[in-house]
Amino acid sequence: MNDHENDKSRARPGLIRRFWLLATGGFGLAFALGILFWGGFNTAMEWTNREAFCISCHEMRDNVYAEYRNTIHYQNRTGVRATCPDCHVPKEWGPKMIRKIQASNEVLHKILGTIDTPEKFNAKRAELAQHEWDRMKKNDSRECRNCHDFSYMDYAEQNRRAATKHQVAFNAGQTCIDCHKGIAHTLPPIEQHIGADKAAAVQAPAMAPAHHAADEGAKAPAAGASAASGG
């Protein structure tokens, strides 16, 4: 009986050692696979965040990209470019994932051929633009502010009109997209109440308020929406 108990006591350390080795090996394998998965996932995300990927379909290459190439965001005296993902994809991980999920709807419409001709694209241009304006209004023009920020503007270096309008907009709680529509792509025929009335223009739908919008008494006059992009 004593010999049997001694055999069991000698066997316990061996079992514990084997269990520990298996657990450690399993954890190490899971950790390595996790790193490989995360590396592959992040690589795929970054690969889809390239301008080359954005214009790999003719709908983007032949329409909005062709327009963008004639703007200051594409070519300018300083050589600083804002590419497609700089303006349309958040840099923060959480908002980026949400935007990527939303983009799956664009893949569906690519398959359906919703905008696969210039005629179809232009027929949907106002709707597509409004969706993007609403998104930028809702997030306080987050992607614009990766480069532009009221807090860092030197108004003395801006022309008089831009400096005045930017300060009015800042004090009224406005955001970039309130005034700067159509600076990278052709503006659809939508009445924005800027300058003279537009012939055959349609009324733009009401946009979602920015999260920092001022109260009713502090809103800028309609003329405040005419800030030029020259600032």
Side-chain angles (χ1 to χ4, degrees):
M1 189 71 175
N2 290 335
D3 290 340
H4 181 65
E5 289 178 354
N6 288 336
D7 290 340
K8 288 178 65 178
S9 64
R10 284 196 296 269
R12 286 194 192 101
L15 289 172
I16 293 173
R17 190 179 301 112
R18 283 196 293 272
F19 176 78
W20 176 251
L21 288 173
L22 286 171
T24 303
F27 178 79
L29 179 62
F31 184 74
L33 290 175
I35 290 177
L36 290 173
F37 172 79
W38 180 252
F41 179 80
N42 191 60
T43 298
M45 288 295 100
E46 292 307 312
W47 189 78
T48 62
N49 258 14
R50 299 172 304 123
E51 186 176 88
F53 177 83
C54 296
I55 62 172
S56 59
C57 61
H58 74 276
E59 289 90 342
M60 295 296 103
R61 183 184 65 247
D62 298 341
N63 293 294
V64 290
Y65 181 68
E67 299 163 1
Y68 153 72
R69 291 185 63 185
N70 295 314
T71 71
I72 197 171
H73 281 90
Y74 180 83
Q75 191 170 37
N76 51 69
R77 63 180 178 80
T78 61
V80 178
R81 286 185 63 201
T83 64
C84 307
D86 289 328
C87 296
H88 297 288
V89 181
K91 295 187 181 297
E92 296 81 3
W93 193 85
K96 181 190 291 186
M97 292 303 101
I98 294 173
R99 184 71 187 94
K100 291 293 184 181
I101 293 171
Q102 292 171 339
S104 62
N105 184 58
E106 298 168 14
V107 176
L108 171 63
H109 285 282
K110 163 67 177 177
I111 296 171
L112 296 176
T114 305
I115 54 173
D116 60 356
T117 67
E119 293 76 19
K120 289 182 181 179
F121 184 87
N122 284 317
K124 299 278 288 184
R125 181 185 289 273
E127 179 184 345
L128 296 171
Q130 190 64 52
H131 287 324
E132 190 63 6
W133 296 340
D134 288 342
R135 184 186 71 83
M136 297 180 76
K137 178 72 172 179
K138 186 177 180 180
N139 67 24
D140 193 20
S141 303
R142 177 177 48 213
E143 282 69 66
C144 300
R145 294 177 186 277
N146 288 330
C147 296
H148 310 279
D149 196 302
F150 283 129
S151 303
Y152 305 126
M153 288 182 179
D154 185 348
Y155 297 117
E157 294 296 321
Q158 298 179 2
N159 64 51
R160 183 182 301 175
R161 183 168 181 262
T164 299
K165 297 305 182 183
H166 281 143
Q167 292 177 78
V168 169
F170 177 73
N171 292 328
Q174 291 182 300
T175 188
C176 309
I177 200 61
D178 285 323
C179 304
H180 296 287
K181 299 181 180 73
I183 59 171
H185 305 296
T186 300
L187 188 67
I190 288 181
E191 179 58 65
Q192 299 184 76
H193 306 292
I194 299 175
D197 290 342
K198 314 301 187 295
V202 297
Q203 186 69 31
M207 295 172 65
H211 65 78
H212 70 303
D215 59 35
E216 290 296 321
K219 284 185 178 177
S226 63
S229 57

